[in-house]
Amino acid sequence: MENIMNERLKGKIVAITGGAKGNGFATAIRVGKEGASVFIGDIDENGLSKALNKLNKLGITASGTILDVSNISTASEFISAVVKKFGRLDVFINNAGASKPSTFPEVTEEMWDWTMDLNLKGAFFLMQEAAKIMIAQKSGSIINLASIAAVGGLTSSPPYAAAKAGLVNFTVVAAAYLAKYGIRVNAVAPGIVNTDFHDVLDKAVGQDKLGLKKGELMQNAAKAKVPLQRMAEPEDVASIVAFLASSDAAYITSEVIMVTGGQKTV
Ligand code: NAD
C-alpha cells in the first residue's frame, strides 16, 4: 500500500467484522492511517490478536474481541463493546463472510443455513444494532461487503450468491429507512480479491482436481475474466470502503460500488 497518512477519518470510531485478515484487515489499516480508531470482531482468536498487534505497531489505535457473526445473540454485545471502548460508533463495516464451494445439485440444507447465517442473517442483525447507536447519534456510515456474486450468477456457491444478493437488497432498504437520521448505508462489491477467501476452492478444484499450483486457479480466472487482467488486492477494496466511510462520500447512500477491475459477470 502506498504511504497514506491523512486525517480524513480523524477521531472516527470504525468497527469491522472479520477484520483479522484479508479485506477487513486492509480496511483496518487504511482507515487507521486516515486517523480512525478501529474495533475488530473476528472468529479467529489468534488471527485477531496478531492483527491488533500489527495495527498497534503501525501507530493505529485498535482494539477488538472474538465474534462469530453467525451467532446473532452476540450482535448487541459486540456493538456495546465498541461503544464501551470508544464511546461512540461512526462507521460500521459488515465485512465478515465466507463460502463453501458447492455446485447447484450439491447444496445441502446445512450448507444453506451456514452460508445464510454468516453472510446475510448475521450481517443484518449487526447492522440493526449498529443503527441503534447511530440513530441516537444522528449520524453514521454503514458499509456492507457484498460481491460480484450478487449479480453475476456465481455457480461455485449458490447460497453465497443468494446471500450477497440479499445483502445488496437490505443495503438499499436500510439506506431508505436510516437516511432521515443522517446515516448512510452503502455496499462494496468486489470481484476476485487476492485473499485467503479462495483457499478451499483453490485446494479442491485448482490443486486437487486440475493439478494447478497453489493460487493459480484464481490468477487464471482473473486473467481470463477481468479486463484489468489481475486480481484485486485487499487494498483496492479498502480504499473504496474508506472513501464511503468518509465525508467525501457525504451525498452517497444506497449505492453498490463494484470493485471488479471491469468484470461484469462471474
Ligand atoms: P478472508 O477469508 O481473507 O477473511 C475473512 C475474515 O472473516 C477472516 O479474518 C475470518 O476469520 C473472518 N470470519 C470468518 N467467519 C467469521 C465469523 N463467523 N464471524 C466473524 N468473523 C469471521 O476473506 P476476505 O476475502 O477478506 O472476505 C471479506 C469479505 O469480502 C467477505 O464478506 C467476502 O464475502 C467479501 N468478498 C471477497 C471476495 C474475494 O475474492 N476475496 C470477493 C467478493 C467479496
Side-chain angles (χ1 to χ4, degrees):
M1 189 194 293
E2 66 193 270
N3 190 17
I4 306 140
M5 262 297 180
N6 65 45
E7 303 207 323
R8 186 166 64 163
L9 295 172
K10 190 166 185 227
K12 298 288 181 197
I13 308 304
V14 178
I16 308 173
T17 65
K21 63 180 182 178
N23 292 329
F25 184 58
T27 299
I29 294 178
R30 175 72 195 228
V31 298
K33 284 190 169 185
E34 295 201 26
S37 298
V38 179
F39 196 95
I40 291 175
D42 202 288
I43 200 167
D44 173 5
E45 187 169 9
N46 192 29
L48 174 65
S49 109
K50 279 189 189 154
L52 292 176
N53 274 337
K54 283 187 201 158
L55 290 165
N56 290 328
K57 276 194 186 133
L58 288 169
I60 293 166
T61 304
S63 186
T65 185
I66 298 295
L67 170 73
D68 177 359
V69 300
S70 307
N71 180 0
I72 61 162
S73 66
T74 59
S76 93
E77 248 171 66
F78 175 69
I79 298 299
S80 298
V82 183
V83 176
K84 192 169 174 216
K85 177 72 192 169
F86 290 120
R88 54 186 289 117
L89 174 61
D90 299 298
V91 180
F92 175 62
I93 303 169
N94 242 333
N95 167 81
S99 81
K100 287 183 181 163
S102 56
T103 61
F104 179 79
E106 288 166 354
V107 176
T108 61
E109 185 181 2
E110 189 194 7
M111 197 181 283
W112 176 271
D113 288 343
W114 178 86
T115 311
M116 289 294 165
D117 287 354
L118 168 54
N119 294 284
L120 188 61
K121 186 172 161 188
F124 179 82
F125 286 101
L126 276 157
M127 189 167 71
Q128 192 186 58
E129 290 300 327
K132 286 180 191 167
I133 303 297
M134 292 174 177
I135 286 170
Q137 288 172 182
K138 294 205 168 11
S139 70
S141 171
I142 296 171
I143 299 141
N144 295 319
L145 263 288
S147 167
I148 192 172
V151 292
L154 184 78
T155 53
S156 60
S157 177
Y160 176 78
K164 291 298 187 182
L167 192 61
V168 165
N169 190 276
F170 77 50
T171 297
V172 173
V173 171
Y177 182 80
L178 294 171
K180 57 184 167 295
Y181 300 103
I183 301 163
R184 297 180 295 106
V185 188
N186 293 289
V188 172
I192 306 169
V193 194
N194 187 12
T195 71
D196 295 347
F197 180 89
H198 306 287
D199 281 1
V200 180
L201 188 69
D202 183 72
K203 176 84 178 70
V205 177
Q207 297 174 57
D208 296 350
K209 207 165 165 185
L210 302 174
L212 299 172
K213 286 189 199 135
K214 191 172 188 306
E216 255 183 347
L217 183 74
M218 298 320 288
Q219 279 165 18
N220 292 350
K223 275 189 198 129
K225 295 177 180 174
V226 178
L228 285 180
Q229 300 265 296
R230 67 166 175 89
M231 287 190 269
E233 293 303 322
E235 291 77 14
D236 293 316
V237 175
S239 60
I240 303 307
V241 176
F243 162 68
L244 287 172
S246 78
S247 60
D248 284 345
Y251 203 60
I252 296 183
T253 194
S254 193
E255 291 295 340
V256 182
I257 301 190
M258 307 294 289
V259 184
T260 63
Q263 187 182 1
K264 298 289 184 200
T265 55
V266 180

